[in-house]
Amino acid sequence: MTRPQAVIFDVNETLTDMEPLRARFEDVGLPGHLMDTWFASVLRDGFALAAAGGYAEFARIAHDVLRGMSLEDKAIGHVLSGFAELRVHPDVPEGMRKLRESGIRLFTMTNGAAAMTEGILRREGLLDLVEARLDVSGPGVWKPARAAYEYAVGQAGVRPEQAALVAVHPWDIDGAQRAGLVGAYLDRRGTPYPSVLSAPTVSAPDLRALADLWS
Amino acid sequence: MTRPQAVIFDVNETLTDMEPLRARFEDVGLPGHLMDTWFASVLRDGFALAAAGGYAEFARIAHDVLRGMSLEDKAIGHVLSGFAELRVHPDVPEGMRKLRESGIRLFTMTNGAAAMTEGILRREGLLDLVEARLDVSGPGVWKPARAAYEYAVGQAGVRPEQAALVAVHPWDIDGAQRAGLVGAYLDRRGTPYPSVLSAPTVSAPDLRALADLWS
C-alpha cells in the first residue's frame, strides 16, 4: 500500500504497556482482573459522552469509574498515578525510529492527556521523534468521533487520506477509516478482529513489522 | 416533580436481572467476573459505533466480544441464549402496575432487541402493560445518541419533556436528559453517580419507590 505522509499513534495500549497498572489494583485491595473491567468502562463512558454530544477528561472518567468500584480518593490516586510510569512496548522505539528515518512524520492523538504522553516519550528518549502530541481536549470530543480525527489531521496539516492512524483498538481503526484515514492495526495479541467494525487497511503484529511495510 | 405522560424503560439490567448470565460464563470455562468486562466491552463497542456514525446489532457485538475472549460459536451460543431466560427484578412488576394504574403510558427502548424484551415481558405477565417495545434498529443508532431518544418519543407520540427515561445506567440518564427527556435513575446498588454525567432529575432505589413518587 501507499506510504502515509503522517502517522498518528494512539497512545494507551498502542504505545504503552498498561499491564503494570494491574498490580496497583491489587495494592489497593481489588482483584487484578478489575483493571480490564475498569478500562472498558472508562472507554464506555467516554464514548457514551461522544455519542450524546458531551465531553469529559479521561482522568475524571477514570476517577469516577474507580469510585464506582468503592475506592477512596487516596486509593484512586495510587492507581491513576501508575499511568505516568508506564513504559512503551519493546517494539515501539525501533518502529518509531524506522518510520521517522524513512521520512514519515509522527504524531500522537490520545483520549488521555498530551502532557502524560509527553512525559512517557521523554523518559523513553522518543520525544524528539514525534512532531506534536495531541489529545481530545482540542476537538472537545473523544475518538472515535469523526471530529477527533479531523482535528488531528488538521493539526498535522495533511489531508485525511495522507495520514494513517495506528492503534491496537479496533474501534479506533474503524473510526479513523470512517473519517477517511488509513487504519493500521497492531495485533500484538492475535485476537480476532470484530466483525461489526470496518476491517483495517493494513495489519501488522507490532510496530517494527508495520514500519518494515512502509520503509 | 411533574408526572410524565410516558415512561420509557431501558431493559438490560434496568428491568432484567443479568446475574444468571454469570453462571453461563462458568459453564463454558471462563471465570464469572468476565461477565462484567464483557458487558462493559459490548457497550463500549456499540457506543463507539454510535460516536463514529455506525451501527450494529447488540447480538453481533455481544458475539464478537465473546469471540475475542477465545470462545467458540457453540460456547458463545450457550452464553447468549441465557438472555431469553432472564427474569425481571422483584420490584418491576409492582412498579410497572402502579405506574400504569396511575394513567402513565409505558414503553421500552433497548440497545438490544425488542423481540427479546417481548419474550421476557410475556413470560412475566407484563406484556399488556407496555404499549410498544422499541429498539435501536428503528433509528439505526444506539442510545445514548440523541436520535435514539427522539425516535422513542416520536413513536410514543409525545414531546421529549413529556417523557421520562428510566434506567440503572448513568450514561442512559445523561443521554436522555441531553435529548430533553426527564431522567429517572434507579439506584438499586447504591453506587456513586459519575461526576462527569448530568445528574438525574429524579432518583429512586427501585421501581416501586419511583412509582410512588409519580402516583
Side-chain angles (χ1 to χ4, degrees):
Chain A
M1 63 157 293
T2 316
R3 294 171 68 246
Q5 294 185 19
V7 161
I8 300 167
F9 293 102
D10 171 53
V11 177
N12 289 331
E13 291 194 313
T14 294
L15 298 182
T16 60
D17 178 2
M18 282 178 51
E19 278 304 311
L21 288 183
R22 198 177 298 278
R24 290 184 176 242
F25 279 77
E26 291 167 358
D27 290 343
V28 298
L30 295 178
H33 65 73
L34 273 185
M35 182 179 92
D36 303 308
T37 307
W38 165 76
F39 191 56
S41 301
V42 172
L43 296 178
R44 174 198 65 198
D45 288 356
F47 297 173
L49 280 167
Y55 170 76
E57 283 179 11
F58 185 95
R60 284 193 61 196
I61 298 179
H63 189 285
D64 274 356
V65 177
L66 289 170
R67 202 166 51 105
M69 291 174 166
S70 303
L71 291 190
E72 303 292 333
D73 281 354
K74 191 179 167 188
I76 292 171
H78 178 69
V79 172
L80 296 183
S81 65
F83 262 103
E85 297 180 19
L86 295 180
R87 304 294 311 266
V88 298
H89 288 287
D91 54 293
V92 166
E94 187 182 330
M96 275 193 163
R97 290 196 182 97
K98 192 171 280 188
L99 287 170
R100 192 69 204 90
E101 283 162 12
S102 74
I104 294 174
R105 297 166 61 206
L106 307 185
F107 299 84
T108 56
M109 175 61 171
T110 179
N111 282 337
M116 184 80 76
T117 306
E118 290 178 8
I120 291 168
L121 292 175
R122 181 177 294 111
R123 206 177 49 243
E124 301 274 358
L126 300 170
L127 188 60
D128 291 348
L129 297 177
V130 177
E131 195 170 322
R133 282 71 54 189
L134 309 170
D135 68 34
V136 288
S137 66
V141 66
W142 281 34
K143 297 183 293 177
R146 169 181 283 264
Y149 304 101
E150 290 176 340
Y151 167 82
V153 298
Q155 293 294 114
V158 297
R159 295 194 305 275
E161 66 273 19
Q162 296 172 319
L165 186 282
V166 175
V168 296
H169 303 121
W171 53 261
D172 206 355
I173 299 295
D174 177 79
Q177 294 182 163
R178 287 177 189 272
L181 288 74
V182 172
Y185 178 54
L186 296 189
D187 186 19
R188 288 202 186 86
R189 296 179 194 166
T191 44
Y193 194 93
S195 70
V196 299
L197 301 177
S198 58
T201 308
V202 56
S203 290
D206 63 26
L207 192 57
R208 273 189 295 254
L210 182 68
D212 285 342
L213 293 177
W214 284 335
S215 295
Chain B
M1 63 157 291
T2 316
R3 293 170 69 246
Q5 294 186 17
V7 161
I8 300 168
F9 292 103
D10 171 52
V11 177
N12 289 331
E13 291 193 313
T14 295
L15 297 182
T16 60
D17 177 2
M18 282 176 53
E19 279 303 311
L21 288 183
R22 199 177 297 279
R24 291 185 177 241
F25 278 77
E26 291 167 357
D27 291 344
V28 298
L30 295 177
H33 65 72
L34 274 185
M35 183 178 91
D36 303 309
T37 307
W38 165 76
F39 190 55
S41 301
V42 171
L43 296 178
R44 175 198 65 196
D45 288 355
F47 297 173
L49 280 167
Y55 171 76
E57 283 180 12
F58 184 96
R60 284 194 61 198
I61 298 180
H63 189 284
D64 274 356
V65 177
L66 289 170
R67 202 166 52 105
M69 291 175 165
S70 302
L71 290 190
E72 303 291 332
D73 281 354
K74 190 179 167 187
I76 293 171
H78 178 68
V79 172
L80 296 183
S81 64
F83 263 103
E85 297 179 19
L86 295 180
R87 304 295 310 266
V88 297
H89 288 287
D91 54 293
V92 166
E94 186 182 329
M96 276 193 162
R97 289 194 183 98
K98 191 171 282 190
L99 287 171
R100 192 69 204 91
E101 284 162 10
S102 76
I104 295 174
R105 298 165 61 206
L106 307 185
F107 299 84
T108 57
M109 174 62 171
T110 179
N111 281 336
M116 185 81 76
T117 307
E118 290 178 8
I120 291 167
L121 292 176
R122 181 177 294 112
R123 206 177 48 243
E124 301 275 357
L126 301 170
L127 188 61
D128 291 347
L129 298 177
V130 177
E131 194 170 323
R133 282 69 55 187
L134 309 171
D135 67 36
V136 288
S137 66
V141 66
W142 280 35
K143 296 183 292 179
R146 169 181 285 264
Y149 304 101
E150 290 176 339
Y151 168 82
V153 297
Q155 293 294 113
V158 297
R159 295 194 305 274
E161 67 272 19
Q162 297 172 318
L165 186 283
V166 175
V168 296
H169 303 120
W171 51 261
D172 206 356
I173 299 295
D174 178 78
Q177 293 182 164
R178 287 175 189 273
L181 287 75
V182 171
Y185 178 53
L186 296 188
D187 187 18
R188 288 202 187 86
R189 295 178 194 167
T191 45
Y193 194 91
S195 70
V196 300
L197 301 178
S198 58
T201 308
V202 57
S203 290
D206 64 25
L207 192 57
R208 273 188 295 251
L210 181 68
D212 284 341
L213 292 177
W214 284 336
S215 294

